[in-house]
Amino acid sequence: MHKILLKEMLAERTWHMRLHAPLVARKCEPGQFLMLRIRENGERIPLTIADWDRNAGTIDIYFQELGATTHLLATLSVGDSVRDVVGPLGNPSEIEKVPGTFVMVGGGFGIAAGYPVARGFKEAGNRVVAVLGARTKDLLICEEMLKAVCDEVLVATNDGSYGTQGVVSDVLRTLLERGEDISLVFPVGPPIMMKIISGMTRPLGIKTVVSLNSVMVDGTGMCGSCRVTVGGKTRFVCSEGIDFDGHEVDWDEMMSRQKMYGTQESEALSNYHHNGACMGGSL
Amino acid sequence: MSSEAVKKKMANPRVHMPELDATVRSRNFEEVNQGLTYEQAIEEAARCIQCKGRPCVEGCPVAVSIPEILDALVNENLSEAARILQADNALPAVCGRVCPQEQQCESKCVRGIKGDPVAIGYLERFVADWAMQHASELPAEAPATATGKKVAIVGCGPAGLTAAGSLARQGHHVVIFEALHDTGGVLRYGIPEFRLPKEIIDQEVARLLDLGVTIECNVIIGKTLTLAQLRAEFDAVFIANGAGLPMMLNLPGENLKGVYSANEFLTRVNLMEAGRRDDSSTPILTGDSVAVIGGGNTAMDCVRTARRLGAGRAMIVYRRTEAEMPARVEEIKHAKEEGIEFFLLTAPLEVKGDTEGWVNGLTCQQMELGEPDDSGRRRPVPVPGSDFFLEADVVVNAIGTRPNPLLTAAAPELKLNRWGNIACDENGATNLPGVFAGGDIVRGGATVILAMGDGKKAASAIHRYLTGVNE
């Protein structure tokens, strides 16, 4: 059992939690994730490890209430526990000194997943710029955290309520136009955003590493639920990633596979709202 | 024994295992084989002629004292039979259910020369189940004198559990590290409940816990901890993390929605209870017509599971004939009774899908058997112009597994063979002092009982390594 030590709402339906998980905290590196299961017969879901404290034995996760499991997770309070946490999983992001600027492009709650990588690149002596995107100002998360580890943080909101009006690709374009010498772009967020950013950088020959989020069961390479086509080859995101060359990913296939359980997920969510919530979250 | 008594024994036919009705069971997950009655078991045990050579024991990878157990059974001394069985075999209720006895102990039984061999598997199961039901009446095992030595076991599958049992009985302190959130390895996530109820695994594991074995779930060696850390903290390590990495079809369309590896399909249904319990939150695509590619026990487990989840058509697609199928004869028979369709001498060429990315069938090719290949089996050769389309809204790939590299990738000091399996000697010793390995990580995908045999052998070798003493 893993106790919840901190819980805060960052934006509508978007949460930050700190869990006691000393084995994971001792070993994790930027770019890695964990599998979490709330209760007996609950499903296993992957979540990026956004931060950790090796001495205290704690890890930080960020999640948005999207389906039944994340809704249930959001009902838990400080002092409650989740049944299973296993990790760290996936390969750590390759952090190195690059000749030019490292740009982390974060969308939605994916920003939190980009945070440890941006911090890692900063610690490796790079110029680091973060481009953060949110639908509206109230939904933007982790801005202060990123300011602390980046040379520059730029924000785009769809409605223009904060930062530039538009999307993250607009900001990236502005960066390029002003002559920023970008060596590496690291988009993390919804696949459509990662696809657009990869499409933008490809003709420019700017190396683009993406952190993929696909459907997972075990997270250790034994099932292939998370598989994607990269450079024409089938690859397992959990064990061979989660980072891949964004220019090589078959995005349409990846986005299609993400919808494999769309019907079941909506049913589970509506069951949750009808029964789970009033039955004390028995989901 | 008098020749008269032998003759009488020889006249008795082999017992028949009571089974659930096929039309009923093909829609639920209840155990198909119902187990022998007390009377049936005693009568079947009496068919054993207690021959001097004991070839059945040689046929058993963990060398269970079969004649002694059957003798105790004939004398209706059930607790003695249970004592001998449980001392020889860490998971007898599992083995009695899933071992291919027809290739092992029963294949050596002298009664099989003329007629049917003694139903050793059924009797093993009977004694093991009796022992579980009467656990409180059985004398508790005397705890072994602690040696003060610590052994780490990587993987809680059949090899790891067997080694743990042997080592704990020799007084070593054993800790099993398991990557998943529950015990049993393939026994839990792979073998469906209609062959092996989970309750059986729980009870067998509980017996190990009673011996003082510790099991740490959610720990992945190679990720959470490294082999080097285990070597620093323990006196010996046994690696038995299996071959849990699916081989892909490498056919166009294998990443369409609705295409599963057998491991994923079975893990969702068995470990995560998808499609089986209202309170399971793991989803599964059940499908109206399900095509399973392969001819092994895993393929049979998948296709029979698909049928139980409601598939109107559940089909096996296999490129050779039934005679070459690696699945147990009993499983093939059960599958047929449950309405499974067999497309034999049929090889998939492509997985086809609709414009939304959902699988809708397989393009297949008819095969015929040609000359024998390296394995001695006749090689399937395509029949020109025989392509046809097989409709399916779920496809499961059950063509096999490879060793999972998570541990070995993080332990470059460990020697592998050219297939990525851990290289070791006949006792399971690897190139690293104090590090042993066994089961599928050494053999590639094999059987539960071979993994258990490896576990038992490695446990003896580890005991010798730790104490310098033969057991």
Side-chain angles (χ1 to χ4, degrees), chain A residues 24-261:
Chain A
V24 182
R26 199 194 299 170
K27 201 73 196 304
C28 60
E29 295 293 337
Q32 291 190 294
F33 68 98
L34 52 80
M35 297 298 299
L36 174 147
R37 193 174 73 127
I38 300 173
R39 56 158 184 93
E40 211 53 55
N41 296 316
E43 65 180 336
R44 296 165 66 99
I45 58 163
L47 290 168
T48 304
I49 307 164
D51 205 354
W52 53 89
D53 181 331
R54 299 205 201 279
N55 292 325
T58 64
I59 47 162
D60 291 53
I61 54 171
Y62 291 73
F63 64 95
Q64 194 168 25
E65 290 174 64
L66 292 171
T69 295
T70 42
H71 271 84
L72 176 62
L73 187 57
T75 65
L76 301 185
S77 314
V78 169
D80 290 343
S81 291
V82 295
R83 180 85 179 64
D84 301 292
V85 168
V86 62
L89 292 162
N91 297 307
S93 295
E94 274 177 41
I95 290 172
E96 54 184 340
K97 175 79 179 80
V98 290
T101 307
F102 171 84
V103 180
M104 190 279 273
V105 183
F109 75 104
I111 292 171
Y115 165 74
V117 181
R119 183 179 64 187
F121 271 88
K122 185 65 202 166
E123 284 167 359
N126 292 289
R127 172 170 161 77
V128 174
V129 175
V131 177
L132 312 181
R135 262 194 298 119
T136 182
K137 186 184 179 195
D138 294 342
L139 297 178
L140 179 69
I141 65 164
C142 302
E143 187 190 6
E144 292 309 313
M145 256 163 72
L146 278 150
K147 275 185 175 162
V149 299
C150 294
D151 296 282
E152 197 175 346
V153 174
L154 300 165
V155 177
T157 50
N158 298 48
D159 62 358
S161 52
Y162 187 58
T164 313
Q165 197 266 314
V167 290
V168 282
S169 52
D170 299 330
V171 180
L172 183 63
R173 193 167 295 116
T174 314
L175 269 180
L176 289 163
E177 280 165 5
R178 82 174 187 202
E180 184 81 36
D181 173 23
I182 301 174
S183 292
L184 181 54
V185 177
F186 189 88
V188 50
I192 185 67
M193 179 275 262
M194 295 193 276
K195 177 187 175 178
I196 290 168
I197 298 290
S198 300
M200 243 181 92
T201 56
R202 189 178 188 163
L204 302 171
I206 300 173
K207 186 178 172 188
T208 301
V209 175
V210 294
S211 206
L212 296 185
N213 41 1
S214 46
V215 178
M216 292 186 189
V217 184
D218 61 289
T220 64
M222 67 174 256
C223 86
S225 166
C226 64
R227 64 193 188 271
V228 290
T229 302
V230 183
K233 282 198 183 127
T234 294
R235 307 287 296 273
F236 290 5
V237 172
C238 71
S239 52
E240 299 179 87
I242 54 176
D243 292 355
F244 290 98
D245 181 345
H247 299 156
E248 297 280 328
V249 173
D250 182 338
W251 291 103
D252 294 339
E253 178 190 273
M254 196 224 151
M255 288 189 278
S256 168
R257 282 186 64 81
Q258 267 200 329
K259 293 183 202 130
M260 188 150 151
Y261 297 103

